[in-house]
């Protein structure tokens, strides 16, 4: 971990707001912005797009023109047995067709008669093609199509990875905020308990109340102090969890300092930061979900593989035809009477391997379709449930706010009665404990509300563009 100097350098370029002379507020939007920009997982997600592009380039390489040169020579005891030169230029095309130009020059005392060519060499230009297996789809075509689908799939996977790390970072921020609010609550009530204890001691010393009341006030003070220490431990743990998402540009993790606090007024910023604002349920279309897009591209790639396997059931028939000439500069020298050609035929008798490969390809395709259908329904139901849950939390927040207000009213009334000598410390402590529980529950409900918004963000698989 770096020292405080590195920490201050890191946050000097953000929009952290100085709350007090030694306190800084870590804004939720800026926090997620740095997570998306510098976190290793977010950087790793960008690599998947580069991998997809590299695979596409590799697949396109199968259509690159090629130059082939073969040269063989044998000379022994002053006798030139043979001197063979064969240079070929090939241009692969899409539908199993290959254009080819060739130059052949052979010489020697023991030359194969079939390899005899004119002294200045023999030129040829022609075409080879597959008219059975490999005409409509072949290995080159299938690999290129699959690479294109993989590139698009990698973009969808990138969005899913970035969304997941931002989702986890959001939950860490909300837990940190909840722990910070709990510490603030216990600090306030500890101050109240201390004030009440000091007042009780003075009244007991003057004989206004019984001395035993100071013991009860002391117990209440100690309970508040104990709860505060426990809350501080929780805050420390959640601060460390949050720190694991903070990195600098040179891949160095950042340690969150104690003087950095969360923004306690983030409710209005969550929807805009996560870019889920203004997205009602009826505007959501599951077809545009990145997970379904990724599964869809996977299905497309498997469909190409199935078509390739089906094509291999056809016989392999390769044709080749080349015009021959000694003077390639003269176009009219290419005549159909002077040629070199051939045909090859190949077909396994039982096609067991080919039929087995096709069945496996069909099973993989069907399995991917089942995954797609299941994911589609699961996403639809999950998103609908989250929208309903958010509506419920809005009602819960209103109710818990009213409950806290009512408990505050009861405590204030009890303290007023106590000042008139009509109540006791026991009743005040009881009212205060109820208020503390209500405020803690208020924070918990608020945190669940924020978590649900983050879950919606995760379920929609949004990749925020403005972070």
């Amino acid at each position: 971990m770096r020292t405080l100097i590195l920490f201050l350098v890191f946050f000097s370029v953000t929009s952290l707001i100085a709350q007090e002379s030694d306190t800084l507020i870590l804004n939720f939007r800026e926090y997620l912005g740095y997570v998306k920009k510098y976190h290793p997982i977010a950087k790793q997600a960008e690599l998947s797009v580069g991998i997809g592009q590299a695979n596409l380039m590799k697949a396109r390489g199968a259509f690159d023109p090629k130059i082939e040169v073969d040269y063989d020579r044998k000379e022994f005891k002053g006798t030139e047995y043979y001197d063979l030169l064969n240079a070929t230029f090939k241009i692969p095309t899409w539908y199993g067709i290959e254009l080819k130009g060739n130059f052949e020059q052979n010489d020697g005392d023991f030359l194969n008669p079939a390899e005899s060519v004119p002294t200045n060499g023999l030129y040829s230009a022609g075409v080879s093609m597959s008219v059975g297996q490999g005409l409509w789809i072949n290995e080159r075509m299938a690999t290129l199509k699959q690479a294109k689908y993989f590139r698009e799939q990698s973009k969808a996977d990138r969005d899913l990875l970035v969304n997941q790390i931002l989702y986890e970072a959001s939950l860490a921020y909300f837990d940190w905020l909840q722990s910070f609010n709990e510490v603030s609550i216990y600090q306030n009530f500890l101050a109240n308990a201390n004030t009440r204890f000091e007042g009780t001691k003075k009244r007991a010393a003057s004989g206004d109340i019984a001395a035993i009341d100071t013991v009860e006030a002391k117990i209440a003070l100690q309970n508040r102090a104990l709860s505060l220490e426990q809350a501080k431990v929780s805050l420390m743990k959640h601060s460390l969890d949050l720190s694991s998402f903070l990195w600098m540009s040179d891949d160095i993790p950042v340690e969150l300092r104690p003087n950095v606090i969360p923004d306690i007024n983030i409710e209005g910023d969550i929807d805009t930061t996560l870019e889920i604002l203004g997205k009602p349920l009826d505007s959501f279309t599951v077809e545009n979900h990145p997970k379904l897009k990724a599964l869809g591209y996977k299905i497309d790639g498997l469909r190409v593989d199935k078509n390739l396997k089906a094509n291999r059931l056809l016989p392999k028939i390769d044709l080749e035809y080349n015009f021959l000439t000694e003077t390639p500069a003269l176009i009219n020298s290419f005549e159909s009477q002077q040629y070199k050609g051939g045909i090859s035929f190949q077909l396994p008798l039982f096609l067991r391997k080919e039929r087995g490969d096709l069945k496996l390809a069909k099973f993989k395709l069907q399995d991917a379709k089942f995954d797609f259908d299941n994911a589609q329904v699961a996403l639809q139901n999950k998103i609908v449930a989250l929208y309903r849950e958010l509506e419920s939390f809005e009602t819960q927040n209103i109710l818990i706010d009213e409950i806290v207000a009512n408990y505050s009213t009861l405590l204030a009334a009890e303290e007023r009665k106590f000042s008139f000598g009509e109540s006791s410390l026991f009743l005040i402590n009881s009212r205060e404990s109820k208020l503390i529980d209500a405020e803690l529950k208020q924070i918990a409900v608020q945190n669940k509300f924020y978590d649900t918004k983050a879950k919606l963000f995760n379920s929609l698989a949004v990749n925020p563009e403005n972070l």
Side-chain angles (χ1 to χ4, degrees):
M1 296 293 179
R2 287 294 182 93
T3 59
L4 178 60
I5 296 177
L6 281 177
F7 171 80
L8 292 176
V9 171
F10 170 73
F11 283 108
S12 64
V13 295
T14 69
S15 61
L16 295 175
I17 305 170
Q19 186 184 42
E20 297 176 358
S21 59
D22 59 346
T23 301
L24 295 173
I25 296 177
L26 177 55
N27 182 272
F28 179 63
R29 185 182 190 85
E30 295 295 333
Y31 161 71
L32 284 190
Y34 272 90
V35 172
K36 182 179 180 180
K37 187 174 183 180
Y38 296 120
H39 196 279
I41 299 298
K43 291 182 178 181
Q44 187 181 25
E46 292 296 332
L47 291 180
S48 63
V49 178
I51 292 172
Q53 192 64 39
N55 277 321
L56 180 59
M57 180 185 295
K58 178 182 177 181
R60 284 174 173 162
F63 295 90
D64 288 346
K66 297 179 179 65
I67 296 178
E68 299 176 1
V69 178
D70 292 329
Y71 179 72
D72 290 318
R73 178 184 176 88
K74 181 179 179 181
E75 187 171 343
F76 182 68
K77 293 183 178 181
T79 300
E80 184 182 78
Y81 280 69
Y82 54 80
D83 189 307
L84 309 177
L85 174 63
N86 193 316
T88 306
F89 180 69
K90 297 179 180 179
I91 303 177
T93 60
W94 185 250
Y95 287 108
I97 299 174
E98 187 174 74
L99 305 178
K100 183 168 65 173
N102 180 264
F103 172 73
E104 188 177 4
Q105 189 174 38
N106 304 323
D107 194 12
D109 295 338
F110 298 96
L111 192 67
N112 188 327
E115 296 176 341
S116 297
V117 295
T119 304
N120 293 329
L122 183 65
Y123 297 86
S124 65
V127 61
S128 63
M129 62 182 299
S130 300
V131 295
Q133 182 185 137
L135 177 60
W136 299 110
I137 185 169
N138 53 46
E139 197 72 39
R140 288 192 308 241
M141 297 163 60
T143 301
L144 182 56
K145 286 182 178 180
Q146 289 174 326
K148 290 180 178 180
Y149 291 135
F150 179 76
R151 180 187 60 179
E152 298 305 315
Q153 181 182 346
S154 66
K155 292 179 181 178
D157 289 338
R158 184 267 315 273
D159 291 340
L160 291 173
L161 283 172
V162 171
N163 175 270
Q164 182 64 27
I165 193 62
L166 292 180
Y167 164 69
E168 294 174 2
S170 298
L171 294 184
Y173 188 94
F174 299 150
D175 289 340
W176 180 47
L177 174 60
Q178 180 180 5
S179 297
F180 176 80
N181 286 332
E182 289 175 353
V183 168
S184 298
I185 288 175
Y186 285 121
Q187 285 176 337
N188 292 334
F189 283 103
L190 177 63
N192 292 342
N194 186 64
T195 301
R196 193 176 300 119
F197 174 64
E198 295 297 331
T200 303
K201 285 198 300 183
K202 291 179 181 179
R203 293 183 64 182
S206 63
D208 189 26
I209 58 176
I212 194 64
D213 287 342
T214 60
V215 177
E216 186 168 354
K218 181 68 173 180
I219 292 173
L221 177 62
Q222 292 170 333
N223 280 329
R224 303 295 179 261
L226 177 62
S227 297
L228 177 59
E229 288 303 315
Q230 292 173 340
K232 286 181 178 180
V233 172
S234 178
L235 178 60
M236 179 269 295
K237 290 181 178 178
H238 288 125
S239 297
L240 291 176
D241 290 340
L242 187 82
S243 296
S244 65
F245 291 96
L246 291 175
W247 294 73
M248 295 184 68
S249 58
D250 49 357
D251 297 331
I252 297 176
V254 176
E255 182 179 359
L256 195 67
R257 306 304 298 177
N259 64 323
V260 178
I261 64 173
D263 182 5
I264 60 175
N265 300 312
I266 65 168
E267 186 168 350
D269 295 333
I270 294 178
D271 290 353
T272 55
T273 300
L274 300 180
E275 296 186 8
I276 58 175
L277 182 66
K279 289 189 176 181
L281 180 58
D282 55 5
S283 69
F284 173 71
T285 53
V286 73
E287 291 79 10
N288 295 326
H289 195 281
K291 183 175 183 179
L292 294 183
K293 284 184 177 180
L295 289 174
Y297 290 126
K298 179 181 178 181
I299 289 173
D300 291 336
L302 290 173
R303 187 176 289 113
V304 171
D305 184 62
K306 187 206 74 170
N307 293 337
L308 178 63
K309 298 297 192 300
N311 184 260
R312 288 177 180 170
L313 296 176
L314 299 175
K316 189 174 183 180
I317 306 173
D318 295 331
L319 303 178
E320 183 174 358
Y321 184 88
N322 297 277
F323 293 100
L324 301 177
T325 182
E326 296 180 67
T327 55
L330 303 175
I331 300 299
N332 58 4
S333 66
F334 290 96
E335 298 179 359
S336 60
Q337 295 87 351
Q338 303 181 89
Y339 68 91
K340 179 175 67 174
I343 181 172
S344 66
F345 176 87
Q346 180 181 341
L347 177 66
L349 293 180
F350 300 111
L351 293 171
R352 285 182 289 196
K353 179 180 182 299
E354 290 74 11
R355 287 187 287 118
D357 285 342
L358 179 58
K359 285 185 178 181
L360 289 174
K362 288 181 177 179
F363 288 144
K364 290 180 181 179
L365 178 59
Q366 192 63 42
D367 182 67
K369 288 180 178 179
F370 287 148
D371 282 343
F372 181 90
D373 293 340
N374 179 67
Q376 186 176 34
V377 175
L379 281 172
Q380 184 70 42
N381 292 338
K382 184 177 182 181
I383 291 169
V384 171
L386 287 171
Y387 272 104
R388 300 289 182 260
E389 191 174 350
L390 284 174
E391 292 175 359
S392 174
F393 273 118
E394 290 177 356
T395 303
Q396 292 181 42
N397 279 322
I398 294 174
L399 291 175
I400 193 63
D401 289 345
E402 293 177 353
I403 291 172
V404 169
N406 290 334
Y407 272 123
S408 297
T409 301
L410 287 176
L411 177 60
E414 204 66 45
E415 288 177 336
R416 182 173 177 81
K417 288 170 63 178
F418 180 75
S419 66
F420 295 143
E422 298 177 359
S423 183
S424 64
L425 281 175
F426 174 79
L427 289 176
I428 290 179
N429 290 334
S430 177
R431 298 291 191 195
E432 191 176 65
S433 295
K434 294 290 186 181
L435 177 59
I436 292 173
D437 291 341
E439 290 192 2
L440 292 176
K441 190 173 183 180
Q442 182 185 38
I443 294 173
V445 171
Q446 184 185 58
N447 186 68
K448 290 179 180 178
F449 182 48
Y450 295 161
D451 284 353
T452 304
K453 288 189 174 185
K455 289 177 182 177
L456 178 62
F457 163 78
N458 183 238
S459 297
L460 295 175
V462 178
N463 184 0
E465 298 178 357
N466 298 321
L467 286 180

